[in-house]
Amino acid sequence: MSVYKHNKFYSFADFTHFLLLNKIPFLLWILIVFISAVTFQHIHSPLLLNSIIVGAFMIVHVLLYWYSDVLIAKKRLVYFIGQTMIIFAAAFILPIGSISLLVGLLPLLIAQSIIIFKKKIQVVIVFSLLYSQYCIVILLNYGRGELLEFILIFIFILIIVVFYYSIYHGQVNARIRTQYYLTELEAAHIKLEELTLANERQRMARDLHDTLAQGLAGLIMQLDAADSYLENGNAEKSQEIIRKSMDQARKTLREARIVIDNLRENSLADMNFEKAVTEEIERFKENTLIAVESLINVKVNLSNLIKEHSLYIISEGLTNIAKHSHATKAAVTVIGEKGEIQIKIEDNGIGFDNVTKVQRGSYGLLGLKERVKIIGGELSIESELGKGTKITVRCNLNKGVMR
């Protein structure tokens, strides 16, 4: 809840903190003023009972000032009227020492009004009322002969107090703003850490899916094929597939270690993207015996991040064909030119009629959408029952990627 927007306080707690910081030096000032008033009174005409009564008034004055944060926020007029009555009542009870009370306490009250009231007219009204009452008390206690001198003293003290109060207020307010920005910065840092951890968990989930899950899926398909050849008595072909399965298992293990050690970016630095895509397609053909037509023509420079996620997009698309499509043919097209890369993965499989349902239910497609988002691309999935599926990814390389 903002308290005083014109003074740039950000919350009621900040305003309370400001007043607390201001209270200590000014409470000492009130004590000095009271001692000075009693001293002046006792030099000329000692009034012990009056001094005790004024001391009680000063205690009330201090309490009001101590809780001024609450009073000003809720009932500022009551606060100012109460303080004014206490000061002038004390001035009448100690007539000789009244000059100390008036000159010492009224400028402090006026300085408070400058900080607290929003409009200049309100400050002018407060000053006019206090100044006129000050003059009346001086006339009653000291006579007309002392009026001009005491007016000059009052104005001089007022200028000093207002100047000091304004500077001190500015320093404390600056400190509040600094603390506020530090608090906001710390909160933003915590939020950034949370987002970083969340993004890292998502990245690890994608990478583990693209290495372990896809690698194991490939092994299962190869072993199924080997088992089928064994049942048909073709041991030689079965052994060949088993050897490829062993190579695939070793490759999957290497990739898993790269993910765990977070070394993938280094391995991508000198990667030939077209060659990597071709090798991925060849592995798919060997593992599934699905015919694949491919067109790979990349004439633009790709960042390591684009290479990595594009390669996994192709791998995921082919894995989904092997798992779900029952296709006999597939096609992979990768074109990179004119500041754009376009990836198409098609099959002649069974297709599906509810793209939204499949996207929600398949972790592979969820990971696919996340990777497309990271590279700042657009994903399109077209499918129809009995007519296969086409996945298209377009990425404008000039727009940059999401970090």
Side-chain angles (χ1 to χ4, degrees):
M1 178 183 70
S2 177
V3 179
Y4 299 122
K5 294 183 179 178
H6 69 295
N7 285 327
K8 299 182 180 178
F9 286 106
Y10 298 95
S11 67
F12 184 73
D14 292 333
F15 180 68
T16 302
H17 180 60
F18 162 72
L19 288 175
L20 286 173
L21 289 174
N22 271 286
K23 285 171 183 175
I24 301 301
F26 289 105
L27 290 178
L28 292 175
W29 172 256
I30 293 171
L31 178 61
I32 293 171
V33 168
F34 170 69
I35 294 173
S36 175
V38 172
T39 302
F40 279 137
Q41 183 65 50
H42 278 254
I43 289 174
H44 294 84
S45 176
L47 297 173
L48 181 59
L49 180 60
N50 291 28
S51 298
I52 294 173
I53 295 173
V54 171
F57 279 15
M58 289 298 99
I59 291 174
V60 177
H61 179 72
V62 166
L63 288 174
L64 289 175
Y65 191 78
W66 184 257
Y67 293 103
S68 59
D69 50 343
V70 177
L71 295 171
I72 290 172
K74 295 181 178 180
K75 298 180 179 180
R76 66 184 66 176
L77 287 178
V78 173
Y79 170 79
F80 276 98
I81 292 172
Q83 291 289 53
T84 301
M85 291 176 64
I86 289 172
I87 294 171
F88 283 108
F92 282 113
I93 294 172
L94 287 181
I96 304 300
S98 62
I99 185 61
S100 295
L101 295 171
L102 296 175
V103 171
L105 299 181
L106 288 181
L108 182 59
L109 203 58
I110 293 171
Q112 276 188 297
S113 71
I114 294 174
I115 301 301
I116 291 168
F117 287 112
K118 296 181 179 181
K119 299 179 180 179
K120 292 182 179 180
I121 185 64
Q122 293 173 325
V123 177
V124 171
I125 292 173
V126 170
F127 172 78
S128 300
L129 290 174
L130 295 179
Y131 176 75
S132 60
Q133 293 179 57
Y134 168 81
C135 293
I136 292 171
V137 174
I138 294 299
L139 284 172
L140 294 175
N141 288 346
Y142 297 96
R144 185 175 298 179
E146 306 289 340
L147 180 60
L148 180 60
E149 180 182 352
F150 285 160
I151 287 176
L152 294 177
I153 293 174
F154 176 78
I155 293 175
F156 178 73
I157 298 298
L158 176 63
I159 292 172
I160 293 175
V161 171
V162 170
F163 180 75
Y164 172 78
Y165 199 93
S166 300
I167 292 177
Y168 193 73
H169 165 269
Q171 291 176 344
V172 176
N173 204 13
R175 182 177 175 181
I176 291 172
R177 288 197 300 271
T178 301
Q179 186 62 42
Y180 171 81
Y181 293 136
L182 287 174
T183 303
E184 290 294 303
L185 185 61
E186 183 178 357
H189 177 69
I190 293 172
K191 185 65 175 178
L192 180 61
E193 284 187 340
E194 292 174 352
L195 292 174
T196 301
L197 289 173
N199 289 335
E200 186 64 15
R201 285 195 296 268
Q202 291 181 353
R203 185 190 69 81
M204 291 177 66
R206 286 192 302 267
D207 290 347
L208 289 174
H209 172 267
D210 292 334
T211 54
L212 294 178
Q214 290 186 5
L216 291 174
L219 285 173
I220 291 170
M221 287 185 289
Q222 288 179 329
L223 293 173
D224 285 341
D227 183 61
S228 177
Y229 280 117
L230 281 175
E231 288 180 355
N232 295 329
N234 193 341
E236 183 179 349
K237 185 65 175 178
S238 178
Q239 288 178 347
E240 180 184 349
I241 293 176
I242 290 174
R243 284 194 296 270
K244 290 181 179 178
S245 298
M246 293 172 66
D247 292 337
Q248 177 69 21
R250 294 188 185 97
K251 177 180 178 296
T252 301
L253 181 60
R254 287 195 302 270
E255 290 181 347
R257 285 173 175 168
I258 289 173
V259 170
I260 293 171
D261 296 335
N262 198 23
L263 298 175
R264 177 176 287 116
E265 285 190 346
N266 293 335
S267 66
L268 289 170
D270 301 319
M271 181 183 74
N272 185 315
F273 179 68
E274 294 188 17
K275 181 180 178 181
V277 174
T278 301
E279 290 175 352
E280 188 66 37
I281 293 172
E282 291 301 319
R283 280 195 295 271
F284 173 79
K285 290 164 65 176
E286 291 176 3
N287 294 339
T288 63
L289 302 180
I290 297 176
V292 181
E293 295 180 0
S294 61
L295 173 60
I296 305 168
N297 185 14
V298 180
K299 299 179 181 179
V300 292
N301 293 325
L302 302 177
S303 67
N304 290 341
L305 195 68
I306 296 290
K307 290 179 183 178
E308 176 186 357
H309 290 288
S310 296
L311 187 59
Y312 282 131
I313 287 168
I314 294 168
S315 176
E316 182 60 45
L318 293 174
T319 299
N320 286 333
I321 291 174
K323 287 182 178 179
H324 309 296
S325 72
H326 303 287
T328 58
K329 293 182 181 179
V332 177
T333 304
V334 182
I335 303 295
E337 59 182 3
K338 297 180 181 179
E340 181 182 85
I341 183 170
Q342 179 176 281
I343 301 171
K344 290 184 181 180
I345 305 169
E346 305 174 70
D347 66 72
N348 66 344
I350 59 175
F352 47 86
D353 61 354
N354 192 334
V355 175
T356 303
K357 181 178 179 181
V358 172
Q359 286 177 302
R360 290 176 179 174
S362 170
Y363 183 83
L365 285 179
L366 177 61
L368 193 68
K369 292 174 66 178
E370 289 178 352
R371 290 189 182 277
V372 172
K373 183 179 179 181
I374 288 173
I375 63 175
E378 298 177 355
L379 173 65
S380 171
I381 301 177
E382 303 174 22
S383 186
E384 188 176 344
L385 283 174
K387 294 186 179 181
T389 302
K390 180 170 72 172
I391 296 175
T392 304
V393 176
R394 291 185 177 85
C395 177
N396 188 332
L397 303 177
N398 296 324
K399 288 184 178 180
V401 297
M402 185 184 75
R403 298 295 179 186

